[in-house]
Amino acid sequence: LNSQYRSEARSLDLVTWKRADQAEAPHYGHHTILVLVDRLDLAVLRALRYAGSVRPTDLRVVHVVLDTEVADHLQREWVERKLSERYPLEMVECADRRLERTVSELAYDTVIQDRAEVTVLLPRRSFHRVSQRLLHDRTADRIAEAVGRIPHVAATIVPFDTTLPHDAMVRLEAVR
């Protein structure tokens, strides 16, 4: 463990960060936020609200298509709720079902094409009971880890607590 801690400390140490190309790394003037949407619910709406509050140069809402039936349903619901007027929904194909890779490639391509700092926003629902947590995987964590390795890309998990009482949620929403 001690060796592991020392190795981590070296990788974070500013003294070892002497290479000129790292010190002179560009800082892009544009900031693009990619909000990943798997389904339409309050967690996604909270992530969209947060994304807008950051005031990015560009805000893109993306659904990675793993199942065309689910994607079609989401797109219909998106249009019915008139979200497409403010947030056009992009569909990104993922034929090989490697979600982390597809999102990483999207983020990387956005950095290159737009010359932008990119934030990938990931709505994450939290559940109180262990049985509920077992039913829901940690996809947001895996995606955040994958995109976090890419220069100029940051991942932000926007938590949504499903255990908050309904009355408390209504009061919070009335504040805005």
Side-chain angles (χ1 to χ4, degrees), residues 147-163:
V147 300
R149 296 182 185 117
I150 304 168
H152 303 285
V153 178
T156 301
I157 292 176
V158 181
F160 185 86
D161 187 356
T162 62
T163 65

Side-chain angles (χ1 to χ4, degrees), residues 89-105:
L89 182 61
E90 296 178 36
M91 297 290 179
V92 175
E93 293 295 325
C94 181
D96 63 2
R97 302 189 60 80
R98 293 171 61 187
L99 186 61
E100 294 89 358
R101 189 187 79 174
T102 300
V103 174
S104 294
E105 287 174 355

Side-chain angles (χ1 to χ4, degrees), residues 12-23:
L12 293 169
D13 189 4
L14 286 176
V15 174
T16 61
W17 197 58
K18 293 179 182 176
R19 290 186 18 214
D21 61 332
Q22 289 177 330

Side-chain angles (χ1 to χ4, degrees), residues 74-141:
L74 174 62
Q75 198 153 32
R76 280 192 306 275
E77 196 174 16
W78 202 262
V79 170
E80 285 171 8
R81 295 192 180 263
K82 298 185 180 358
L83 289 167
S84 57
E85 295 168 9
R86 186 165 181 194
Y87 307 107
L89 182 61
E90 296 178 36
M91 297 290 179
V92 175
E93 293 295 325
C94 181
D96 63 2
R97 302 189 60 80
R98 293 171 61 187
L99 186 61
E100 294 89 358
R101 189 187 79 174
T102 300
V103 174
S104 294
E105 287 174 355
L106 175 65
Y108 180 80
D109 291 345
T110 303
V111 169
I112 299 299
Q113 292 169 5
D114 297 352
R115 298 186 57 78
E117 297 291 331
V118 174
T119 300
V120 178
L121 279 187
L122 301 148
R124 181 172 65 193
R125 298 126 187 111
S126 60
F127 300 92
H128 183 67
R129 290 191 211 126
V130 173
S131 61
Q132 290 171 312
R133 282 184 267 153
L134 289 173
L135 293 173
H136 301 278
D137 64 3
R138 302 307 260 178
T139 305
D141 295 326

Side-chain angles (χ1 to χ4, degrees), residues 2 41-42 47 55 59-60 91 101 114-115 133 169:
N2 193 9
D41 60 13
L42 290 175
R55 302 190 189 278
L59 174 61
R60 295 169 51 193
M91 297 290 179
R101 189 187 79 174
D114 297 352
R115 298 186 57 78
R133 282 184 267 153
M169 181 61 76

